[in-house]
């Protein structure tokens, strides 16, 4: 939220040139604190770089207590990671409308249709590959439904003037980790048929160039969609190559540790 004028005047010594300021209300131990964020615009609409933070008490005094600052830093990070619509990487920002999900389902189904047409040209059982594609889109739908639970919690936050506390953290973070687990399943599924992708892609390219389908737009589109799905799968493998050998618990631990590193880094930018 925008910082009220009287608070902006109070913290003006901490504001550096070119920065704008926002704040989050955080409830901790039945007291409401403010995290003041010092931001600079980044490339892209709505993007920003967090340059520093400051915590104020209910009396608008600068908070200097280390243990309190640590807890406030943790709560504010998870608020931004889950609910911050200014952040395109936050969980709530990844929600997709029904039309987008339906288009993805159609694209994946067309990819499956293309695989059916390749059954005589490839050297493995196509049923496993088809099953993986169906499961991946199913998990994607499930993730979207879980994010809709977060949107309902956002309505509760809105009714309470966006005061984010330990209770809301507990409710939203459990959903967040459920989504992480589902995402990890999707990554592992995609990786499980990794050895098939190059062969399918070669055959897909041959079919797209072949005279037999050049004028059959429906079949041609199916092969283009298969090419798109294979590209998406290969991008996922490249992005998550460092965690594909994890089990679910080690993946969750890895994410928690990453979050703790970011929280610590954010607190290095503490002013006051």
């Amino acid at each position: 939220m925008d910082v009220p004028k009287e608070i902006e005047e109070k913290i003006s010594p901490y504001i550096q040139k070119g920065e704008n300021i926002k704040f989050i209300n955080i409830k901790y131990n039945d007291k409401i604190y403010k995290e003041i964020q010092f931001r600079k615009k980044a490339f892209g609409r709505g993007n920003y770089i967090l340059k520093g933070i400051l915590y104020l008490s209910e009396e608008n005094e600068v908070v200097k207590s280390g243990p309190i600052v640590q807890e406030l830093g943790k709560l504010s990070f998870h608020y931004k990671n889950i609910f911050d619509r200014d952040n395109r990487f936050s969980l709530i920002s990844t929600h997709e409308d029904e039309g987008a999900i339906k288009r993805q389902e159609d694209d994946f189904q067309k990819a499956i249709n293309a695989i059916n047409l390749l059954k005589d040209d490839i050297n493995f059982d196509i049923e496993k590959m088809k099953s993986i594609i169906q499961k991946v889109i199913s998990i994607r739908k499930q993730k979207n439904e879980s994010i809709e639970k977060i949107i309902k919690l956002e309505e509760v936050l809105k009714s309470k003037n966006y005061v984010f506390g330990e209770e809301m953290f507990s409710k939203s973070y459990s959903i967040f980790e459920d989504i992480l687990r589902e995402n990890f399943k999707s990554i592992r599924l995609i990786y499980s048929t990794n050895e098939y992708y190059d062969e399918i892609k070669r055959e897909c390219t041959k079919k797209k160039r072949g005279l037999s389908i050049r004028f059959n737009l429906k079949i041609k589109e199916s092969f283009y969609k298969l090419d798109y799905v294979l590209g998406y799968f290969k991008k996922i493998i490249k992005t998550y190559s460092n965690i594909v050998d994890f089990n679910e618990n080690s993946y969750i631990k890895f994410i928690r540790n990453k979050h703790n590193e970011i929280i610590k880094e954010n607190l290095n930018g503490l002013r006051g």
Side-chain angles (χ1 to χ4, degrees):
M1 294 183 285
D2 291 328
V3 174
K5 196 70 178 175
E6 63 273 16
I7 294 178
E8 185 174 349
E9 290 173 358
K10 182 179 180 65
I11 64 171
S12 59
Y14 302 103
I15 305 172
Q16 297 176 7
K17 186 177 180 181
E19 292 180 339
N20 60 68
I21 50 176
K22 297 284 185 179
F23 82 94
I24 300 170
N25 283 317
I26 307 168
K27 189 174 183 180
Y28 175 64
N29 279 350
D30 294 324
K31 293 182 179 179
I32 296 177
Y33 298 85
K34 290 181 178 65
E35 181 190 78
I36 309 296
Q37 299 177 9
F38 302 92
R39 302 175 170 186
K40 280 196 173 181
K41 279 193 172 184
F43 181 76
R45 184 179 178 184
N47 291 346
Y48 66 89
I49 300 170
L50 185 65
K51 303 297 291 183
I53 53 175
L54 181 72
Y55 293 105
L56 300 180
S57 67
E58 288 182 312
E59 298 76 30
N60 291 328
E61 298 298 325
V62 175
V63 178
K64 296 184 180 291
S65 168
I68 293 176
V69 164
Q70 289 287 335
E71 291 302 316
L72 297 177
K74 182 188 82 171
L75 289 170
S76 67
F77 168 79
H78 289 298
Y79 170 82
K80 288 176 279 189
N81 195 41
I82 296 171
F83 289 102
D84 185 5
R85 289 188 179 272
D86 283 347
N87 175 8
R88 65 190 178 96
F89 299 111
S90 69
L91 181 62
I92 204 165
S93 296
T94 64
H95 181 257
E96 299 175 278
D97 60 37
E98 287 185 18
I101 293 291
K102 181 66 171 63
R103 287 191 295 274
Q104 289 161 11
E105 282 186 288
D106 290 345
D107 287 349
F108 276 52
Q109 186 55 55
K110 286 170 183 172
I112 290 171
N113 294 342
I115 289 175
N116 284 329
L117 295 170
L118 289 175
K119 63 183 179 181
D120 296 327
D121 301 302
I122 51 184
N123 299 312
F124 56 84
D125 183 1
I126 65 171
E127 294 306 316
K128 183 177 180 180
M129 186 68 194
K130 287 161 59 178
S131 174
I132 295 300
I133 293 174
Q134 288 167 337
K135 287 176 181 175
V136 167
I137 191 61
S138 177
I139 290 172
R140 203 161 179 172
K141 286 172 65 179
Q142 190 172 332
K143 173 193 172 184
N144 215 48
E145 289 166 4
S146 295
I147 297 175
E148 285 166 9
K149 295 178 185 176
I150 293 293
I151 292 172
K152 288 179 181 177
L153 289 178
E154 183 190 35
E155 289 300 312
V156 176
L157 271 177
K158 186 177 180 181
S159 71
K160 296 181 178 180
N161 198 31
Y162 288 97
V163 176
F164 184 76
E166 294 153 292
E167 182 181 355
M168 182 59 74
F169 163 70
S170 180
K171 289 178 180 178
S172 59
Y173 193 75
S174 64
I175 298 170
F176 174 75
E177 284 209 343
D178 285 344
I179 291 171
L180 281 182
R181 294 178 196 279
E182 291 303 311
N183 277 348
F184 184 68
K185 285 180 188 175
S186 182
I187 293 164
R188 292 280 295 171
L189 283 167
I190 290 168
Y191 186 73
S192 71
T193 48
N194 181 35
E195 70 271 23
Y196 302 160
Y197 299 154
D198 288 339
E199 184 180 348
I200 296 173
K201 193 168 180 64
R202 282 195 300 271
E203 294 301 328
C204 183
T205 301
K206 287 180 188 176
K207 291 292 185 184
K208 284 192 298 181
R209 292 173 179 169
L211 288 173
S212 60
I213 70 161
R214 187 169 292 178
F215 301 106
N216 189 325
L217 296 181
K218 187 176 179 180
I219 293 177
K220 191 173 184 179
E221 184 185 17
S222 292
F223 280 108
Y224 274 104
K225 295 303 181 185
L226 176 56
D227 204 22
Y228 157 75
V229 170
L230 291 172
Y232 167 69
F233 282 6
K234 289 174 80 70
K235 184 178 179 181
I236 290 293
I237 291 168
K238 184 177 180 180
T239 302
Y240 296 101
S241 59
N242 60 325
I243 59 96
V244 291
D245 292 325
F246 288 8
N247 61 39
E248 188 178 281
N249 289 335
S250 59
Y251 174 65
I252 295 297
K253 184 178 179 181
F254 170 78
I255 294 295
R256 288 175 180 172
N257 288 339
K258 280 292 180 185
H259 287 174
N260 289 335
E261 288 174 15
I262 296 170
I263 291 165
K264 184 178 179 180
E265 186 178 334
N266 288 345
L267 290 175
N268 287 338
L270 190 67
R271 299 178 185 177

